[in-house]
Amino acid sequence: MENMTGTKKRIFEVAADMFAKDSYHAVSMRQIANAVNIKASSIYNHFESKEALLLTIYEYFDSHMRMLKPDLSKLMEMVETHHPHDVLRATNIIYPGEIVQTMSRAMLITASQASSDPRAEAIIYRNMIEMPGTYDVPILNKMMALDKIEPLDPHDFSLIHSGYCYSAAVRFYSNRSIDNPRYLAGLDMIFTIVRVKEGGARRCEKVAKNT
Amino acid sequence: MENMTGTKKRIFEVAADMFAKDSYHAVSMRQIANAVNIKASSIYNHFESKEALLLTIYEYFDSHMRMLKPDLSKLMEMVETHHPHDVLRATNIIYPGEIVQTMSRAMLITASQASSDPRAEAIIYRNMIEMPGTYDVPILNKMMALDKIEPLDPHDFSLIHSGYCYSAAVRFYSNRSIDNPRYLAGLDMIFTIVRVKEGGARRCEKVAKNT
DNA sequence: GTCTATATTCAGATAGAC
DNA sequence: GTCTATCTGAATATAGAC
Protein backbone atom coordinates (compact mmCIF):
# COMPACT_ATOMS: atom_id res chain seq x y z
CA MET A 1 0.00 0.00 0.00
CA GLU A 2 1.42 3.30 -1.10
CA ASN A 3 2.06 5.97 1.48
CA MET A 4 -0.09 8.97 0.81
CA THR A 5 1.01 12.51 1.60
CA GLY A 6 -0.23 16.06 1.28
CA THR A 7 -3.54 16.75 -0.38
CA LYS A 8 -4.12 13.15 -1.36
CA LYS A 9 -3.84 12.06 2.26
CA ARG A 10 -6.13 14.84 3.40
CA ILE A 11 -8.75 13.83 0.84
CA PHE A 12 -8.45 10.23 2.00
CA GLU A 13 -8.80 11.07 5.69
CA VAL A 14 -11.71 13.44 5.18
CA ALA A 15 -13.52 10.99 2.91
CA ALA A 16 -13.06 8.18 5.44
CA ASP A 17 -14.45 10.43 8.16
CA MET A 18 -17.48 11.48 6.12
CA PHE A 19 -18.23 8.03 4.67
CA ALA A 20 -18.17 6.64 8.21
CA LYS A 21 -20.51 9.29 9.59
CA ASP A 22 -22.91 9.17 6.69
CA SER A 23 -22.81 6.45 4.08
CA TYR A 24 -20.73 6.25 0.93
CA HIS A 25 -23.65 7.15 -1.32
CA ALA A 26 -24.85 9.96 0.94
CA VAL A 27 -21.59 11.90 0.68
CA SER A 28 -20.78 13.72 -2.55
CA MET A 29 -17.43 14.62 -4.04
CA ARG A 30 -18.39 18.28 -3.58
CA GLN A 31 -18.91 17.79 0.15
CA ILE A 32 -15.55 16.08 0.48
CA ALA A 33 -13.90 18.85 -1.53
CA ASN A 34 -15.50 21.52 0.64
CA ALA A 35 -14.19 19.87 3.79
CA VAL A 36 -10.70 19.69 2.29
CA ASN A 37 -11.02 23.28 1.04
CA ILE A 38 -10.49 22.52 -2.61
CA LYS A 39 -12.85 22.19 -5.57
CA ALA A 40 -14.46 18.90 -6.44
CA SER A 41 -12.68 18.64 -9.76
CA SER A 42 -9.31 18.76 -8.01
CA ILE A 43 -10.01 15.48 -6.28
CA TYR A 44 -9.74 13.77 -9.66
CA ASN A 45 -6.05 14.68 -9.78
CA HIS A 46 -5.56 12.28 -6.87
CA PHE A 47 -8.24 9.65 -7.27
CA GLU A 48 -9.59 8.39 -10.58
CA SER A 49 -13.17 8.30 -9.35
CA LYS A 50 -15.32 8.22 -6.26
CA GLU A 51 -15.25 4.44 -6.39
CA ALA A 52 -11.43 4.46 -6.52
CA LEU A 53 -11.52 6.44 -3.27
CA LEU A 54 -13.75 3.79 -1.74
CA LEU A 55 -11.49 0.97 -2.90
CA THR A 56 -8.53 2.75 -1.35
CA ILE A 57 -10.39 2.73 1.96
CA TYR A 58 -11.12 -1.01 1.65
CA GLU A 59 -7.46 -1.59 0.86
CA TYR A 60 -6.33 0.50 3.81
CA PHE A 61 -8.33 -1.63 6.22
CA ASP A 62 -7.38 -4.93 4.61
CA SER A 63 -3.65 -4.28 4.32
CA HIS A 64 -3.34 -3.00 7.90
CA MET A 65 -5.20 -6.03 9.21
CA ARG A 66 -2.70 -8.26 7.42
CA MET A 67 0.20 -6.36 8.94
CA LEU A 68 -1.20 -6.33 12.46
CA LYS A 69 -2.43 -9.87 12.80
CA PRO A 70 -0.46 -11.91 15.32
CA ASP A 71 1.84 -14.79 14.47
CA LEU A 72 -0.08 -18.04 14.82
CA SER A 73 3.00 -20.21 15.34
CA LYS A 74 4.05 -18.08 18.30
CA LEU A 75 0.59 -18.33 19.81
CA MET A 76 0.70 -22.10 19.37
CA GLU A 77 3.96 -22.15 21.30
CA MET A 78 2.44 -19.98 24.00
CA VAL A 79 -0.21 -22.66 24.53
CA GLU A 80 2.40 -24.89 26.13
CA THR A 81 3.81 -22.34 28.51
CA HIS A 82 1.15 -19.73 29.23
CA HIS A 83 -2.21 -19.63 30.90
CA PRO A 84 -4.97 -20.41 28.36
CA HIS A 85 -6.71 -17.09 28.93
CA ASP A 86 -3.46 -15.22 28.32
CA VAL A 87 -3.05 -16.97 24.99
CA LEU A 88 -6.57 -15.95 24.00
CA ARG A 89 -5.85 -12.38 25.09
CA ALA A 90 -2.85 -12.38 22.80
CA THR A 91 -5.06 -13.00 19.75
CA ASN A 92 -6.52 -9.53 20.20
CA ILE A 93 -5.46 -7.14 17.45
CA ILE A 94 -4.59 -3.68 18.72
CA TYR A 95 -4.48 -0.74 16.34
CA PRO A 96 -1.52 1.60 16.95
CA GLY A 97 -2.60 5.03 18.16
CA GLU A 98 -1.75 6.84 14.92
CA ILE A 99 -4.08 4.71 12.86
CA VAL A 100 -6.80 3.71 15.30
CA GLN A 101 -9.27 6.35 14.14
CA THR A 102 -8.77 5.81 10.43
CA MET A 103 -8.83 2.04 10.90
CA SER A 104 -12.11 2.21 12.81
CA ARG A 105 -13.61 4.32 10.06
CA ALA A 106 -12.27 2.14 7.27
CA MET A 107 -13.62 -0.94 9.01
CA LEU A 108 -17.05 0.60 9.47
CA ILE A 109 -17.21 1.78 5.86
CA THR A 110 -16.16 -1.62 4.55
CA ALA A 111 -18.66 -3.34 6.82
CA SER A 112 -21.50 -1.08 5.73
CA GLN A 113 -20.74 -1.83 2.09
CA ALA A 114 -20.55 -5.57 2.72
CA SER A 115 -24.17 -6.31 1.86
CA SER A 116 -24.05 -4.55 -1.49
CA ASP A 117 -20.41 -4.85 -2.60
CA PRO A 118 -18.88 -8.34 -2.87
CA ARG A 119 -15.37 -6.89 -2.62
CA ALA A 120 -16.17 -5.35 0.76
CA GLU A 121 -17.97 -8.49 1.86
CA ALA A 122 -14.92 -10.62 1.14
CA ILE A 123 -12.65 -8.33 3.13
CA ILE A 124 -14.98 -8.20 6.12
CA TYR A 125 -15.49 -11.94 6.08
CA ARG A 126 -11.78 -12.67 5.87
CA ASN A 127 -10.71 -10.25 8.59
CA MET A 128 -13.61 -10.23 11.04
CA ILE A 129 -15.04 -13.76 10.89
CA GLU A 130 -12.60 -16.17 9.30
CA MET A 131 -9.44 -14.76 10.84
CA PRO A 132 -10.50 -15.01 14.51
CA GLY A 133 -11.39 -18.63 13.80
CA THR A 134 -7.98 -19.35 12.33
CA TYR A 135 -6.57 -18.50 15.77
CA ASP A 136 -9.22 -19.69 18.20
CA VAL A 137 -9.84 -23.07 16.61
CA PRO A 138 -6.28 -24.47 16.44
CA ILE A 139 -5.37 -22.88 19.77
CA LEU A 140 -8.35 -24.36 21.58
CA ASN A 141 -7.85 -27.71 19.88
CA LYS A 142 -4.27 -27.81 21.08
CA MET A 143 -5.32 -26.82 24.59
CA MET A 144 -7.80 -29.68 24.61
CA ALA A 145 -5.23 -32.11 23.23
CA LEU A 146 -2.88 -31.10 26.03
CA ASP A 147 -5.75 -31.52 28.49
CA LYS A 148 -5.35 -27.97 29.69
CA ILE A 149 -9.01 -27.01 29.34
CA GLU A 150 -12.44 -28.62 29.55
CA PRO A 151 -13.78 -29.75 26.16
CA LEU A 152 -15.82 -27.24 24.18
CA ASP A 153 -16.73 -26.55 20.56
CA PRO A 154 -14.03 -24.20 19.25
CA HIS A 155 -16.18 -23.01 16.35
CA ASP A 156 -19.00 -21.92 18.61
CA PHE A 157 -16.51 -20.13 20.80
CA SER A 158 -15.00 -18.40 17.79
CA LEU A 159 -18.47 -17.26 16.73
CA ILE A 160 -19.01 -15.61 20.11
CA HIS A 161 -15.54 -14.13 20.18
CA SER A 162 -15.71 -12.67 16.66
CA GLY A 163 -19.30 -11.50 17.17
CA TYR A 164 -18.31 -9.56 20.25
CA CYS A 165 -15.35 -7.88 18.54
CA TYR A 166 -17.40 -7.15 15.44
CA SER A 167 -20.29 -5.58 17.27
CA ALA A 168 -17.99 -3.53 19.47
CA ALA A 169 -16.27 -2.21 16.35
CA VAL A 170 -19.40 -1.51 14.37
CA ARG A 171 -22.02 -0.31 16.76
CA PHE A 172 -21.97 3.24 17.96
CA TYR A 173 -18.91 4.33 16.10
CA SER A 174 -19.92 7.88 16.79
CA ASN A 175 -22.22 7.75 19.82
CA ARG A 176 -22.25 5.69 22.98
CA SER A 177 -19.22 3.65 22.01
CA ILE A 178 -17.97 1.06 24.43
CA ASP A 179 -14.97 2.30 26.37
CA ASN A 180 -11.83 0.23 26.34
CA PRO A 181 -11.78 -1.03 29.96
CA ARG A 182 -15.34 -2.29 29.58
CA TYR A 183 -14.49 -3.86 26.24
CA LEU A 184 -11.56 -5.71 27.79
CA ALA A 185 -13.67 -6.78 30.77
CA GLY A 186 -16.18 -8.25 28.33
CA LEU A 187 -13.42 -10.08 26.50
CA ASP A 188 -12.16 -11.55 29.76
CA MET A 189 -15.68 -12.64 30.65
CA ILE A 190 -15.92 -14.41 27.30
CA PHE A 191 -12.68 -16.21 28.07
CA THR A 192 -14.25 -17.66 31.21
CA ILE A 193 -16.20 -19.89 28.81
CA VAL A 194 -12.88 -21.67 28.40
CA ARG A 195 -12.62 -23.60 31.66
CA VAL A 196 -9.09 -24.22 32.75
CA LYS A 197 -8.30 -27.62 34.25
CA GLU A 198 -6.21 -27.70 37.36
CA GLY A 199 -3.43 -29.63 35.72
CA GLY A 200 -0.02 -30.26 37.33
CA ALA A 201 0.62 -27.33 39.62
CA ARG A 202 -2.18 -25.11 38.36
CA ARG A 203 -5.12 -23.75 40.26
CA CYS A 204 -8.37 -22.97 38.58
CA GLU A 205 -10.14 -19.64 39.10
CA LYS A 206 -6.95 -17.77 39.69
CA VAL A 207 -6.52 -15.90 36.46
CA ALA A 208 -3.59 -13.62 36.00
CA LYS A 209 -4.81 -10.05 36.02
CA ASN A 210 -3.20 -7.69 33.58
CA THR A 211 -5.97 -5.34 32.53
CA MET B 1 -48.93 0.89 13.37
CA GLU B 2 -51.39 0.85 10.50
CA ASN B 3 -51.87 -2.36 8.55
CA MET B 4 -50.81 -1.85 4.98
CA THR B 5 -52.46 -3.65 2.08
CA GLY B 6 -52.28 -3.83 -1.71
CA THR B 7 -49.90 -1.60 -3.58
CA LYS B 8 -48.75 0.24 -0.48
CA LYS B 9 -47.68 -2.99 1.15
CA ARG B 10 -45.89 -4.12 -2.01
CA ILE B 11 -43.99 -0.84 -2.19
CA PHE B 12 -43.04 -1.20 1.46
CA GLU B 13 -41.84 -4.79 1.10
CA VAL B 14 -39.89 -4.12 -2.10
CA ALA B 15 -38.28 -1.00 -0.63
CA ALA B 16 -37.25 -2.88 2.51
CA ASP B 17 -35.72 -5.60 0.37
CA MET B 18 -33.80 -3.16 -1.82
CA PHE B 19 -32.68 -0.85 1.00
CA ALA B 20 -31.34 -3.90 2.83
CA LYS B 21 -29.42 -5.24 -0.16
CA ASP B 22 -28.03 -1.88 -1.19
CA SER B 23 -28.24 1.15 1.02
CA TYR B 24 -31.04 3.67 1.38
CA HIS B 25 -29.21 6.30 -0.65
CA ALA B 26 -28.16 3.85 -3.36
CA VAL B 27 -31.73 2.89 -4.24
CA SER B 28 -33.89 5.34 -6.18
CA MET B 29 -37.64 5.74 -6.22
CA ARG B 30 -37.57 4.76 -9.90
CA GLN B 31 -35.83 1.48 -9.09
CA ILE B 32 -38.39 0.70 -6.42
CA ALA B 33 -41.22 1.58 -8.80
CA ASN B 34 -39.76 -0.68 -11.50
CA ALA B 35 -39.61 -3.61 -9.11
CA VAL B 36 -43.23 -3.00 -8.10
CA ASN B 37 -44.22 -2.53 -11.75
CA ILE B 38 -45.60 0.95 -11.38
CA LYS B 39 -44.23 4.39 -12.20
CA ALA B 40 -42.18 6.36 -9.72
CA SER B 41 -44.77 9.11 -9.41
CA SER B 42 -47.36 6.57 -8.25
CA ILE B 43 -45.36 5.84 -5.12
CA TYR B 44 -46.20 9.33 -3.91
CA ASN B 45 -49.86 8.35 -3.69
CA HIS B 46 -48.84 6.01 -0.86
CA PHE B 47 -45.82 7.63 0.75
CA GLU B 48 -45.24 11.35 1.03
CA SER B 49 -41.56 11.10 0.24
CA LYS B 50 -38.64 8.73 0.11
CA GLU B 51 -37.82 9.66 3.68
CA ALA B 52 -41.38 8.83 4.78
CA LEU B 53 -40.82 5.36 3.36
CA LEU B 54 -37.66 5.05 5.41
CA LEU B 55 -39.40 6.22 8.58
CA THR B 56 -42.11 3.62 8.01
CA ILE B 57 -39.41 0.96 7.95
CA TYR B 58 -37.92 2.26 11.22
CA GLU B 59 -41.38 2.24 12.74
CA TYR B 60 -42.08 -1.29 11.52
CA PHE B 61 -38.98 -2.58 13.30
CA ASP B 62 -39.54 -0.56 16.46
CA SER B 63 -43.24 -1.36 16.89
CA HIS B 64 -42.78 -5.08 16.32
CA MET B 65 -39.95 -5.19 18.82
CA ARG B 66 -42.25 -3.61 21.40
CA MET B 67 -44.93 -6.18 20.69
CA LEU B 68 -42.60 -9.17 20.76
CA LYS B 69 -40.51 -8.38 23.80
CA PRO B 70 -41.09 -10.77 26.70
CA ASP B 71 -42.77 -9.85 29.95
CA LEU B 72 -40.11 -8.97 32.51
CA SER B 73 -42.26 -9.72 35.54
CA LYS B 74 -42.87 -13.25 34.30
CA LEU B 75 -39.17 -13.76 33.75
CA MET B 76 -38.50 -12.52 37.27
CA GLU B 77 -40.92 -15.12 38.58
CA MET B 78 -39.24 -17.79 36.48
CA VAL B 79 -35.98 -17.04 38.31
CA GLU B 80 -37.39 -18.68 41.43
CA THR B 81 -38.60 -21.86 39.80
CA HIS B 82 -36.56 -22.48 36.66
CA HIS B 83 -32.99 -23.26 35.81
CA PRO B 84 -31.02 -20.01 35.37
CA HIS B 85 -30.04 -20.87 31.79
CA ASP B 86 -33.68 -21.49 30.89
CA VAL B 87 -34.61 -18.05 32.16
CA LEU B 88 -31.89 -16.52 30.02
CA ARG B 89 -33.08 -18.51 27.01
CA ALA B 90 -36.56 -17.09 27.56
CA THR B 91 -35.26 -13.55 27.03
CA ASN B 92 -34.61 -14.42 23.39
CA ILE B 93 -36.99 -12.63 21.01
CA ILE B 94 -38.25 -14.83 18.19
CA TYR B 95 -39.76 -13.28 15.09
CA PRO B 96 -42.90 -15.10 13.85
CA GLY B 97 -42.36 -16.75 10.47
CA GLU B 98 -44.55 -14.31 8.53
CA ILE B 99 -42.48 -11.31 9.54
CA VAL B 100 -39.01 -12.73 10.04
CA GLN B 101 -37.73 -11.62 6.64
CA THR B 102 -39.16 -8.13 6.76
CA MET B 103 -38.03 -7.70 10.37
CA SER B 104 -34.47 -8.75 9.51
CA ARG B 105 -34.44 -6.26 6.67
CA ALA B 106 -35.98 -3.47 8.72
CA MET B 107 -33.45 -4.10 11.50
CA LEU B 108 -30.52 -4.05 9.08
CA ILE B 109 -31.72 -0.85 7.39
CA THR B 110 -32.25 0.89 10.71
CA ALA B 111 -28.85 -0.27 11.94
CA SER B 112 -27.11 0.95 8.80
CA GLN B 113 -28.70 4.38 9.22
CA ALA B 114 -27.79 4.57 12.90
CA SER B 115 -24.52 6.40 12.41
CA SER B 116 -26.04 9.16 10.29
CA ASP B 117 -29.66 9.40 11.49
CA PRO B 118 -30.31 10.05 15.19
CA ARG B 119 -33.83 8.63 14.90
CA ALA B 120 -32.47 5.31 13.69
CA GLU B 121 -29.71 5.41 16.28
CA ALA B 122 -32.22 5.82 19.09
CA ILE B 123 -34.29 2.86 17.89
CA ILE B 124 -31.28 0.57 17.50
CA TYR B 125 -29.92 1.59 20.87
CA ARG B 126 -33.22 1.05 22.63
CA ASN B 127 -34.00 -2.33 21.08
CA MET B 128 -30.60 -3.93 20.56
CA ILE B 129 -28.49 -2.64 23.45
CA GLU B 130 -30.60 -1.19 26.20
CA MET B 131 -33.44 -3.74 26.05
CA PRO B 132 -31.29 -6.86 26.53
CA GLY B 133 -29.81 -5.16 29.57
CA THR B 134 -33.23 -4.41 31.04
CA TYR B 135 -33.71 -8.20 31.18
CA ASP B 136 -30.26 -9.57 31.89
CA VAL B 137 -29.33 -7.15 34.66
CA PRO B 138 -32.34 -7.54 37.00
CA ILE B 139 -32.56 -11.26 36.28
CA LEU B 140 -28.92 -11.89 37.05
CA ASN B 141 -29.08 -9.65 40.11
CA LYS B 142 -32.01 -11.64 41.45
CA MET B 143 -30.24 -14.93 40.74
CA MET B 144 -27.25 -13.70 42.71
CA ALA B 145 -29.44 -12.47 45.54
CA LEU B 146 -31.02 -15.92 45.71
CA ASP B 147 -27.54 -17.46 45.63
CA LYS B 148 -28.44 -19.45 42.53
CA ILE B 149 -25.38 -18.47 40.52
CA GLU B 150 -21.78 -17.46 41.08
CA PRO B 151 -21.26 -13.69 41.24
CA LEU B 152 -20.56 -11.89 37.97
CA ASP B 153 -20.94 -8.42 36.49
CA PRO B 154 -24.40 -8.36 34.89
CA HIS B 155 -23.56 -5.36 32.68
CA ASP B 156 -20.55 -7.06 31.16
CA PHE B 157 -22.64 -10.14 30.55
CA SER B 158 -25.34 -8.07 28.89
CA LEU B 159 -22.73 -6.49 26.64
CA ILE B 160 -21.63 -9.92 25.43
CA HIS B 161 -25.18 -11.15 25.08
CA SER B 162 -26.41 -8.16 23.10
CA GLY B 163 -23.24 -8.01 21.01
CA TYR B 164 -23.70 -11.60 19.96
CA CYS B 165 -27.34 -11.10 18.96
CA TYR B 166 -26.54 -7.85 17.21
CA SER B 167 -23.70 -9.23 15.15
CA ALA B 168 -25.68 -12.33 14.22
CA ALA B 169 -28.51 -10.10 13.02
CA VAL B 170 -26.39 -7.63 11.12
CA ARG B 171 -23.53 -9.50 9.59
CA PHE B 172 -24.10 -11.43 6.43
CA TYR B 173 -27.74 -10.69 6.03
CA SER B 174 -27.47 -11.91 2.49
CA ASN B 175 -24.42 -14.19 2.38
CA ARG B 176 -22.98 -16.70 4.80
CA SER B 177 -25.53 -16.05 7.48
CA ILE B 178 -25.35 -18.06 10.67
CA ASP B 179 -27.85 -20.91 10.67
CA ASN B 180 -30.26 -21.14 13.56
CA PRO B 181 -28.92 -24.28 15.33
CA ARG B 182 -25.45 -22.78 15.39
CA TYR B 183 -26.85 -19.47 16.61
CA LEU B 184 -28.64 -21.21 19.48
CA ALA B 185 -25.55 -23.27 20.30
CA GLY B 186 -23.59 -20.04 20.57
CA LEU B 187 -26.23 -18.54 22.84
CA ASP B 188 -26.07 -21.60 25.10
CA MET B 189 -22.30 -21.34 25.22
CA ILE B 190 -22.64 -17.71 26.32
CA PHE B 191 -24.98 -18.81 29.09
CA THR B 192 -22.23 -21.07 30.47
CA ILE B 193 -20.61 -17.83 31.61
CA VAL B 194 -23.36 -17.84 34.23
CA ARG B 195 -22.17 -20.53 36.63
CA VAL B 196 -25.01 -22.29 38.37
CA LYS B 197 -24.68 -23.21 42.03
CA GLU B 198 -26.15 -26.56 42.96
CA GLY B 199 -29.11 -26.22 45.28
CA GLY B 200 -28.66 -25.29 48.94
CA ALA B 201 -25.43 -27.15 49.14
CA ARG B 202 -23.29 -26.44 46.16
CA ARG B 203 -21.20 -28.11 43.62
CA CYS B 204 -19.51 -26.08 41.00
CA GLU B 205 -18.86 -27.51 37.55
CA LYS B 206 -22.06 -29.52 37.15
CA VAL B 207 -24.42 -27.60 34.93
CA ALA B 208 -27.75 -29.10 33.93
CA LYS B 209 -27.84 -29.91 30.24
CA ASN B 210 -31.06 -29.24 28.42
CA THR B 211 -30.02 -28.26 24.92
C1' DG C 1 -2.21 20.77 -9.20
C1' DT C 2 -5.84 23.85 -8.82
C1' DC C 3 -9.16 26.37 -10.86
C1' DT C 4 -13.73 27.75 -13.91
C1' DA C 5 -16.97 26.13 -16.85
C1' DT C 6 -19.65 22.74 -18.49
C1' DA C 7 -21.37 18.14 -20.15
C1' DT C 8 -24.31 14.49 -18.91
C1' DT C 9 -27.07 11.87 -16.21
C1' DC C 10 -30.20 10.99 -12.80
C1' DA C 11 -32.19 12.07 -8.40
C1' DG C 12 -36.71 13.45 -5.77
C1' DA C 13 -40.82 15.49 -6.53
C1' DT C 14 -45.19 17.84 -8.73
C1' DA C 15 -49.10 18.91 -12.14
C1' DG C 16 -52.73 17.45 -14.32
C1' DA C 17 -55.05 14.10 -17.81
C1' DC C 18 -57.54 9.88 -17.45
C1' DG D 1 -54.81 5.55 -8.07
C1' DT D 2 -52.03 5.35 -12.13
C1' DC D 3 -50.23 7.49 -15.80
C1' DT D 4 -47.22 11.08 -18.95
C1' DA D 5 -44.67 14.98 -18.88
C1' DT D 6 -41.83 17.93 -16.69
C1' DC D 7 -39.40 20.83 -13.14
C1' DT D 8 -35.41 21.61 -10.40
C1' DG D 9 -31.40 20.56 -8.40
C1' DA D 10 -27.42 17.85 -7.73
C1' DA D 11 -24.53 14.07 -8.82
C1' DT D 12 -20.02 12.33 -11.23
C1' DA D 13 -16.88 13.54 -14.31
C1' DT D 14 -14.15 16.10 -18.12
C1' DA D 15 -11.85 20.01 -20.78
C1' DG D 16 -8.85 23.34 -20.78
C1' DA D 17 -6.96 27.95 -18.81
C1' DC D 18 -3.53 29.26 -15.50
Side-chain angles (χ1 to χ4, degrees):
Chain A
M1 164 131 197
E2 64 187 315
N3 263 343
M4 289 176 288
T5 52
T7 308
K8 179 164 191 177
K9 180 152 188 79
R10 276 170 57 225
I11 294 168
F12 174 82
E13 294 287 348
V14 165
D17 180 32
M18 297 179 82
F19 289 161
K21 278 181 187 144
D22 275 17
S23 75
Y24 170 67
H25 290 284
V27 177
S28 72
M29 297 295 259
R30 277 173 174 76
Q31 289 174 291
I32 296 168
N34 279 346
V36 181
N37 246 316
I38 57 175
K39 299 298 170 184
S41 55
S42 301
I43 296 179
Y44 292 87
N45 276 309
H46 304 280
F47 296 94
E48 255 201 340
S49 64
K50 193 187 180 188
E51 194 187 28
L53 228 179
L54 181 64
L55 294 180
T56 307
I57 291 173
Y58 293 170
E59 171 63 18
Y60 181 93
F61 170 65
D62 195 33
S63 62
H64 280 86
M65 285 300 279
R66 279 179 214 274
M67 281 165 33
L68 294 171
K69 72 179 183 183
D71 182 346
L72 176 58
S73 58
K74 281 194 185 158
L75 292 173
M76 292 296 272
E77 283 175 32
M78 271 184 78
V79 171
E80 288 164 35
T81 53
H82 287 65
H83 190 281
H85 293 176
D86 284 335
V87 182
L88 291 170
R89 274 186 205 100
T91 67
N92 199 21
I93 292 181
I94 294 160
Y95 303 150
E98 325 89 69
I99 66 164
V100 61
Q101 275 223 335
T102 308
M103 272 301 275
S104 306
R105 288 163 181 162
M107 187 269 155
L108 188 67
I109 293 162
T110 310
S112 73
Q113 290 291 113
S115 63
S116 57
D117 186 340
R119 296 165 298 189
E121 198 270 347
I123 291 169
I124 289 295
Y125 183 79
R126 174 158 15 95
N127 289 295
M128 303 302 287
I129 314 299
E130 198 175 61
M131 207 195 64
T134 64
Y135 292 99
D136 287 343
V137 173
I139 285 170
L140 290 172
N141 277 332
K142 183 169 183 181
M143 287 174 181
M144 285 187 276
L146 296 180
D147 205 35
K148 289 192 169 252
I149 60 173
E150 303 282 343
L152 85 171
D153 185 321
H155 291 98
D156 287 347
F157 179 83
S158 168
L159 195 66
I160 294 165
H161 190 187
S162 64
Y164 179 76
C165 298
Y166 180 86
S167 69
V170 164
R171 85 189 184 190
F172 308 136
Y173 159 72
S174 40
N175 298 322
R176 312 192 233 221
S177 67
I178 302 159
D179 61 12
N180 204 253
R182 170 140 293 216
Y183 171 74
L184 293 176
L187 263 188
D188 268 357
M189 187 178 271
I190 286 175
F191 297 156
T192 66
I193 293 170
V194 177
R195 307 280 294 281
V196 179
K197 286 192 178 178
E198 319 196 4
R202 193 132 328 168
R203 281 192 57 85
C204 181
E205 302 304 313
K206 276 275 176 247
V207 172
K209 273 165 204 147
N210 43 4
T211 37
Chain B
M1 162 127 197
E2 63 186 315
N3 262 343
M4 289 177 288
T5 53
T7 307
K8 180 163 189 176
K9 180 150 186 78
R10 276 170 57 224
I11 294 167
F12 174 82
E13 294 286 350
V14 164
D17 180 33
M18 296 179 83
F19 289 161
K21 279 181 185 144
D22 274 16
S23 75
Y24 170 67
H25 291 284
V27 176
S28 72
M29 296 295 260
R30 281 171 175 79
Q31 288 174 290
I32 296 169
N34 279 346
V36 181
N37 245 315
I38 57 174
K39 299 297 170 184
S41 55
S42 300
I43 296 179
Y44 292 87
N45 275 310
H46 304 280
F47 296 94
E48 255 201 339
S49 63
K50 193 187 181 188
E51 194 187 29
L53 229 179
L54 180 64
L55 293 180
T56 307
I57 291 173
Y58 294 170
E59 171 63 18
Y60 181 93
F61 170 65
D62 195 32
S63 63
H64 280 84
M65 287 298 280
R66 278 180 215 273
M67 282 165 33
L68 294 171
K69 72 178 184 183
D71 183 346
L72 176 59
S73 59
K74 283 195 183 157
L75 291 173
M76 293 296 273
E77 284 175 31
M78 272 184 77
V79 171
E80 288 163 36
T81 53
H82 288 66
H83 189 281
H85 293 176
D86 285 334
V87 183
L88 291 170
R89 273 186 205 99
T91 66
N92 199 23
I93 292 181
I94 294 160
Y95 304 150
E98 325 87 71
I99 66 163
V100 62
Q101 276 222 335
T102 308
M103 272 300 274
S104 306
R105 288 163 181 161
M107 188 268 154
L108 188 67
I109 293 162
T110 311
S112 72
Q113 290 292 113
S115 62
S116 58
D117 185 340
R119 296 166 298 187
E121 198 270 347
I123 291 170
I124 289 294
Y125 183 80
R126 173 158 16 95
N127 290 295
M128 303 301 288
I129 315 298
E130 196 175 62
M131 206 195 64
T134 63
Y135 293 98
D136 287 342
V137 173
I139 286 170
L140 291 172
N141 277 331
K142 182 167 182 181
M143 288 175 182
M144 285 188 276
L146 295 179
D147 204 34
K148 290 194 167 252
I149 60 172
E150 303 282 344
L152 84 172
D153 184 320
H155 291 98
D156 287 346
F157 179 83
S158 169
L159 195 65
I160 294 164
H161 190 187
S162 64
Y164 180 77
C165 297
Y166 180 86
S167 70
V170 164
R171 85 188 184 191
F172 307 137
Y173 159 73
S174 40
N175 300 320
R176 314 192 232 218
S177 67
I178 303 160
D179 61 13
N180 204 252
R182 169 141 295 215
Y183 171 73
L184 294 176
L187 264 189
D188 268 357
M189 187 178 271
I190 286 175
F191 297 156
T192 67
I193 292 171
V194 178
R195 308 277 294 280
V196 180
K197 292 189 181 180
E198 285 213 353
R202 103 170 50 133
R203 275 189 61 87
C204 185
E205 307 298 315
K206 274 275 176 246
V207 173
K209 274 165 204 146
N210 41 6
T211 35

